[in-house]
Amino acid sequence: MCGIVGYVGSNNTLDVLMGGLKRLEYRGYDSAGVAVVTDGGAIDSRKRAGKLAVLAENLEAEPLAAGNTGIGHTRWATHGGPTDANAHPHLADEGRLALIHNGIVENFVELRNELLTAGYTLESETDTEVVAATLGRVYREVGDLREAFRRVVGRLEGTFTLLAVHSEEPGVIVAARHNSPLVIGLGNGENFLGSDVAAFVEYTRRAVAINENNIAVITSDSVVVTDFNGEPANVQPFEVEWDAASADKGGWSSFMAKEIADQPEAIANTLRGRIGDGTVSIPELEGLGDEALRAIDRIVIVACGTAAYAASVAKYAIEQWSRIPVAVELSHEFRYMNPVLSERTLLISVSQSGETMDTLMAVKYARERGVKTLSVCNTQSATIPRESDGVIYTHAGPEVAVASTKAFVAQIVALYLFGLHLARVRSSLSTAELANITTQLSEVPEKLSEVLEVGGSIHNLAHWMADTRSVLFLGRHVGYPIALEGALKLKEISYIHAEGFAAGELKHGPIALIEPGQPVFVLVPSPRDDSTMHSKVVSNIQEIRARGARVIAIAEKGDAAVLPFADEVIPVPLAEPLIQPLLSVVPLQLFALELSTAKGLDVDQPRNLAKSVTVE
Ligand code: M6R
């Protein structure tokens, strides 16, 4: 959840740290801090509660002393509220040592008691200060930062990425990772550490992924990675696929606005090289093997939040195309439900960040039971894909806004591609059916560009509804997870009570919520579909209208049947039922964005949230 950056080199250290923190701020933004090992052989540090801008303003008024080694942190509070004292870095060894942390140290009470018994005083409520003080104490015994760090890290339980510097060892940063992300950036005469590559992509696109339970020691011209016992460790160098400009707002009012607009390109990039000649080919799946895919008899998809809704949409398609049952489970529930797994189960994880702790733990749980795992991920070399047997990357580009948008549609498309691959391998679709669906997929980017044009009418609607206290969303079939996603988007960034329901569930309870003026978004299936779904949903609209609901229908262009019953109709382009969710979600994303903006809220950094949830 927190963002971590480290730098050793001859650039302006404070600028590098603050630039890195700005790009990492989406990971957590309730306080921030930096520490520099100064040219004068001391540690100079500053930390402030509030967003990074508060710290930046303070540093502008009074910059830190110059130095070529530094660490920086932006926090999402776990232990202790967002105060100056609880912000990182935490200092120890009489101000000679600074340490930052992402994660939770579970045995901190035991360590804290040891320190208190030994006469130490602690100033914050955090587990991190306890680690810093313990490291300072061990350092005084052994006089060597690497050795002290190794000893302390070996004692910690829980999850952590840690970075530490000591003024008696300038030019060195020691770092460790255990169930929490950390990557190294390789420069010329300078090296970087970051929670993700955004921390340093402005300076270098050469990166090294560090494995679990590894320690990295960086100087300006060396990088040494070992395991916790000091044995050399394998690392995976890689080239970052995107540049700093793709993680910038580029003139948009918010990252979310930009990312919504990016969706046609995100889909085009996710499809590129994977469909053509009427078929699907996903070279990344070779590792999983066609034989193994023919043998599976069940798929379990694990994910959280928006990623779980993407999985819920894809469930309909994968089952329809491959005739294999698909269960979608929330990652944090999965491990505790004693799931039925066998060697014929395939577990698919879906995660934009590839670092969501609950999802990572679900993947590990399945692997430990001999289950094959496939990751759908948007972040190169993130932990979850590295812990999986195969990966399909969604090439949506960096997603910075906390509210996920382009990753959502890209996740659906990646899962659809997998479903088609599976259907091809298992011959459950004819060549003509496969060709038809790939053609439909190839048309999605253009249709998405078209649906983005509804922005103006959504703007008016959202401003008109700015004082609304509750919004409901209804959908059937693939429209149901879209209703859930529409509600999540609204809650997340507008702080308005919102709930999504399966339209068929209405009469089983939720219709009691309808009172005069209650706004309800309804996802209307295509009238061209030969099922009775369209007429059923139109009946649902009539039922809620009769009780005073104000209905906003997201319906296919030219759907005349819905017009007499809806207060507003937002038209989306014609598409087959399984393609429609990729289009109908867009007005809901735009609505959340516009409503949040109308209320004057911070669209990209909503309260209490962080982009990637790296603690359980
Ligand atoms: O990085 P992940 O896709 O694993 O994140 C999962 C959820 O935390 C994420 O989708 C969350 O629900 C978003 N903030 C929703 O907009």
Side-chain angles (χ1 to χ4, degrees):
M1 320 272 290
C2 305
I4 277 183
V5 56
Y7 176 71
V8 192
S10 51
N11 241 309
N12 181 319
T13 300
L14 191 56
D15 284 354
V16 176
L17 296 179
M18 291 301 285
L21 290 182
K22 194 163 165 37
R23 289 189 193 284
L24 292 179
E25 200 184 10
Y26 68 88
R27 301 180 73 94
Y29 34 81
D30 56 37
S31 58
V34 283
V36 168
V37 183
T38 69
D39 296 338
I43 298 266
D44 197 3
S45 76
R46 193 81 43 79
K47 53 188 187 169
R48 286 291 178 273
K51 294 200 173 173
L52 187 64
V54 178
L55 177 71
E57 205 173 293
N58 185 279
L59 287 167
E60 199 144 305
E62 194 190 337
L64 296 184
N68 72 355
T69 308
I71 55 179
H73 188 268
T74 176
R75 179 171 187 248
W76 186 88
T78 52
H79 278 233
T83 61
D84 286 358
N86 289 337
H88 302 205
H90 287 278
L91 302 186
D93 197 14
E94 296 174 350
R96 290 182 286 246
L97 181 150
L99 178 135
I100 55 179
H101 170 217
N102 174 23
I104 297 177
V105 173
E106 284 163 5
N107 59 334
F108 89 104
V109 174
E110 172 197 331
L111 297 170
R112 186 182 177 92
N113 288 342
E114 278 179 19
L115 291 166
L116 295 179
T117 309
Y120 282 76
T121 49
L122 297 164
E123 287 168 10
S124 77
E125 303 154 89
T126 64
D127 48 348
T128 308
E129 189 188 6
V130 170
V131 180
T134 306
L135 180 60
R137 188 179 182 200
V138 177
Y139 182 83
R140 290 269 58 95
E141 279 164 35
V142 301
D144 177 80
L145 184 59
R146 293 164 179 82
E147 177 58 19
F149 191 68
R150 204 170 60 74
R151 287 191 195 185
V152 172
V153 161
R155 287 200 60 195
L156 303 180
E157 291 165 19
T159 58
F160 50 85
T161 300
L162 294 167
L163 263 61
V165 290
H166 200 291
S167 61
E168 288 169 9
E169 300 194 27
V172 178
I173 304 177
V174 288
R177 73 163 288 179
H178 174 66
N179 285 333
S180 192
L182 180 63
V183 277
I184 301 174
L186 302 174
N188 291 324
E190 59 183 356
N191 286 309
F192 306 78
L193 289 155
S195 300
D196 65 54
V197 297
F200 50 73
V201 72
E202 195 180 339
Y203 300 94
T204 179
R205 289 166 70 175
R206 287 188 302 136
V208 171
I210 303 173
N211 290 325
E212 284 301 321
N213 303 328
N214 279 183
I215 288 178
V217 179
I218 69 161
T219 67
S220 60
D221 54 13
S222 70
V223 167
V224 177
V225 183
T226 63
D227 63 18
F228 285 179
N229 296 319
E231 298 299 324
N234 286 329
V235 291
Q236 293 93 34
F238 67 98
E239 190 78 16
V240 182
E241 276 172 3
W242 46 273
D243 59 15
S246 25
D248 283 339
K249 261 192 248 176
W252 289 86
S253 56
S254 64
F255 278 107
M256 186 180 176
K258 171 180 183 266
E259 288 159 10
I260 290 173
D262 277 349
Q263 291 182 109
E265 198 187 340
I267 300 302
N269 289 342
T270 303
L271 290 172
R272 184 161 300 122
R274 291 166 168 169
I275 56 169
D277 299 330
T279 191
V280 172
S281 111
I282 313 180
E284 299 96 309
L285 288 180
E286 275 161 20
L288 269 178
D290 289 359
E291 265 323 301
L293 290 180
R294 271 190 278 272
I296 59 172
D297 63 1
R298 185 161 172 265
I299 295 171
V300 179
I301 311 185
V302 290
C304 299
T306 286
Y309 298 144
S312 302
V313 171
K315 168 189 159 76
Y316 292 87
I318 299 173
E319 287 189 341
Q320 179 164 321
W321 297 333
S322 72
R323 305 313 298 157
I324 295 179
V326 178
V328 179
E329 307 292 357
L330 293 170
S331 313
H332 37 87
E333 289 293 318
F334 175 72
R335 279 194 296 159
Y336 304 104
M337 55 174 51
N338 192 9
V340 179
L341 301 169
S342 79
E343 72 279 4
R344 298 184 67 189
T345 309
L346 175 71
L347 182 120
I348 305 179
S349 63
V350 185
S351 174
Q352 187 284 131
S353 61
E355 301 292 350
T356 297
M357 182 58 69
D358 293 310
T359 305
L360 174 62
M361 289 305 167
V363 170
K364 287 187 173 178
Y365 179 95
R367 286 197 89 183
E368 281 159 14
R369 283 151 186 82
V371 172
K372 285 256 182 260
T373 57
L374 171 68
S375 150
V376 170
C377 183
N378 194 43
T379 310
Q380 245 180 310
S381 281
T383 309
I384 295 174
R386 287 195 292 121
E387 290 285 330
S388 304
D389 298 302
V391 54
I392 304 180
Y393 280 111
T394 49
H395 296 299
E399 190 180 68
V400 177
V402 165
S404 183
T405 53
K406 63 177 177 174
F408 175 72
V409 289
Q411 284 161 348
I412 295 174
V413 166
L415 288 165
Y416 278 15
L417 289 172
F418 171 74
L420 292 174
H421 177 87
L422 196 59
R424 184 175 60 73
V425 168
R426 298 169 67 98
S427 308
S428 52
L429 281 180
S430 69
T431 311
E433 285 168 325
L434 189 58
N436 177 27
I437 302 163
T438 54
T439 304
Q440 290 172 36
L441 279 174
S442 68
E443 290 166 357
V444 170
E446 203 180 323
K447 291 185 178 182
L448 263 170
S449 300
E450 202 183 319
V451 78
L452 283 166
E453 287 165 17
V454 299
S457 54
I458 302 277
H459 173 89
N460 297 340
L461 186 67
H463 279 71
W464 164 73
M465 283 170 63
D467 295 327
T468 301
R469 295 187 52 214
S470 160
V471 182
L472 305 181
F473 296 79
L474 296 183
R476 252 173 212 268
H477 186 248
V478 283
Y480 172 38
I482 296 299
L484 297 173
E485 170 63 3
L488 177 62
K489 285 290 89 83
L490 197 60
K491 285 180 223 187
E492 228 178 344
I493 60 168
S494 306
Y495 318 149
I496 288 177
H497 169 254
E499 278 195 69
F501 298 108
E505 194 64 11
L506 255 192
K507 295 189 277 291
H508 301 280
I511 199 163
L513 292 171
I514 306 293
E515 54 188 16
Q518 169 67 54
V520 185
F521 278 83
V522 184
L523 283 304
V524 184
S526 166
R528 298 171 302 115
D529 184 16
D530 58 10
S531 79
T532 55
M533 274 196 303
H534 178 266
S535 54
K536 289 263 173 9
V537 171
V538 173
S539 299
N540 294 142
I541 292 178
Q542 287 169 284
E543 287 155 10
I544 55 173
R545 261 308 269 308
R547 287 156 181 87
R550 192 172 171 95
V551 173
I552 303 116
I554 316 279
E556 201 172 85
K557 257 184 198 157
D559 181 349
V562 84
L563 288 177
F565 308 112
D567 297 278
E568 303 276 342
V569 177
I570 297 168
V572 290
L574 272 58
E576 293 305 308
L578 290 171
I579 299 295
Q580 217 188 31
L582 292 163
L583 309 176
S584 55
V585 73
V586 176
L588 304 184
Q589 297 169 338
L590 288 167
F591 177 70
L593 169 75
E594 291 289 353
L595 200 56
S596 173
T597 310
K599 290 180 74 176
L601 299 172
D602 187 334
V603 170
D604 290 332
Q605 297 182 344
R607 68 184 181 203
N608 303 340
L609 290 170
K611 179 74 179 158
S612 47
V613 181
T614 55
V615 291
E616 282 183 277

